[in-house]
Amino acid sequence: MSLAHLVIFGRPGSGKSSLAERLGADFGYRLIRTGELLREAVRRQDSLGRQVESQLKAGQLVPDDLIGTLLETNLVAGNQERLIFDGFPRTLGQVAILERIEERCQLSIDAYVDIHLSLELAARRMTGRRVCPKCAATYHLINRPPRVAERCDHDGIMLISRTDDSAEVVAIRQQIYEQHSGPLLAHYRQTMGAKFQEIDGSGTFAEVYQSLCRHLGLVG
Ligand code: AMP
């Protein structure tokens, strides 16, 4: 196993967060999930949380400068852990933020992976999505059910639906993804060569996970 730091891209419902979690559990990655960090800030009602609450509820992107500050406070130089960035970068403006993080924390991203899924399939998948309000583990009622119905595998807490998983907000989030992902992925496709990989996300969780591990050279 050779890879260190990863970025995982994918539209809402592509399964990227579940895949990142599983990679974290199997290979010891620390997940850097901007969405979860923002939801935590909202739960704490700190100054960032109060600033971003309405944007999260509406499915709108949080301004790039706030994302930069959020990551600066969560990533320190001299980090020894292997990281997966999930949900960041999301805009071309955030590409520069990631570059600054790489420089400041002396880390370099080894692979950029896009989990590719059609809008139709993703929308269907999102209706069954559940999350743990305590540890943020992600489940799906059909594709990735918890061991005990509606309870988190890790802490037994009752699972919930995210408030921004309602049909109207999902439609907005998909629209925003369409708007930003084209230029963002084109940038990495053009500049990163073999470090950029696209993976078909339409199979079962197990199939996609296996394909992801194979692409990353994590299994033979
Ligand atoms: P996620 O959990 O990745 O689906 O993100 C949930 C919400 O958090 C998004 O709909 C945005 O409102 C916000 N968010 C998460 N990551 C970012 C980011 N990198 N840039 C801007 N907004 C973000």
Side-chain angles (χ1 to χ4, degrees):
M1 196 190 342
S2 53
L3 282 171
H5 309 294
L6 310 177
V7 174
I8 187 159
F9 300 105
R11 66 165 69 251
S14 62
K16 73 178 163 52
S17 293
S18 301
L19 293 162
E21 270 167 33
R22 178 71 186 275
L23 279 179
D26 287 353
F27 300 102
Y29 286 98
R30 173 178 165 210
L31 306 188
I32 306 295
R33 309 165 92 177
T34 43
E36 190 47 37
L37 293 171
L38 291 166
R39 281 187 290 277
E40 273 169 17
V42 171
R43 283 197 287 272
R44 280 196 306 269
Q45 282 292 296
D46 61 16
S47 107
L48 173 72
R50 289 195 303 272
Q51 280 182 78
V52 302
E53 186 166 12
S54 60
Q55 279 143 346
L56 256 72
K57 264 200 193 125
Q60 301 291 343
L61 291 185
V62 166
D64 290 346
D65 57 332
L66 293 184
I67 295 292
T69 311
L70 176 78
L71 288 168
E72 261 172 39
T73 51
N74 279 280
L75 288 171
V76 287
N79 163 65
Q80 299 296 315
E81 294 162 301
R82 296 172 335 149
L83 306 176
I84 299 181
F85 291 89
D86 165 10
F88 166 84
R90 232 144 150 148
T91 64
L92 272 183
Q94 292 177 17
V95 169
I97 297 176
L98 179 57
E99 285 167 1
R100 277 206 303 278
I101 291 172
E102 287 184 271
E103 209 174 304
R104 188 172 62 87
C105 297
Q106 289 164 344
L107 58 87
S108 119
I109 307 294
D110 302 278
Y112 300 80
V113 191
D114 176 35
I115 310 296
H116 186 76
L117 191 68
S118 70
L119 175 59
E120 292 70 26
L121 261 180
R124 235 181 291 158
R125 279 189 187 172
M126 283 187 80
T127 52
R129 183 152 87 163
R130 297 289 183 274
V131 293
C132 172
K134 186 171 175 216
C135 74
T138 314
Y139 300 90
H140 189 277
L141 295 184
I142 294 156
N143 301 333
R144 200 166 179 247
R147 283 196 289 271
V148 176
E150 298 288 338
R151 297 267 172 193
C152 178
D153 289 353
H154 307 294
D155 43 41
I157 299 273
M158 185 71 91
L159 301 176
I160 57 168
S161 293
R162 270 171 48 175
T163 50
D164 62 351
D165 274 354
S166 70
E168 310 86 79
V169 179
V170 163
I172 294 169
R173 291 166 59 206
Q174 295 291 5
Q175 216 174 45
I176 288 174
Y177 175 82
E178 297 284 338
Q179 202 181 321
H180 291 280
S181 64
L184 183 67
L185 296 177
H187 166 80
Y188 284 115
R189 195 176 288 116
Q190 278 157 22
T191 56
M192 289 299 155
K195 281 190 187 175
F196 180 85
Q197 312 204 37
E198 188 177 288
I199 291 185
D200 175 9
S202 67
T204 63
F205 179 81
E207 285 165 353
V208 179
Y209 183 65
Q210 206 177 26
S211 160
L212 176 62
C213 290
R214 252 200 329 270
H215 275 83
L216 293 174
L218 294 169
V219 289

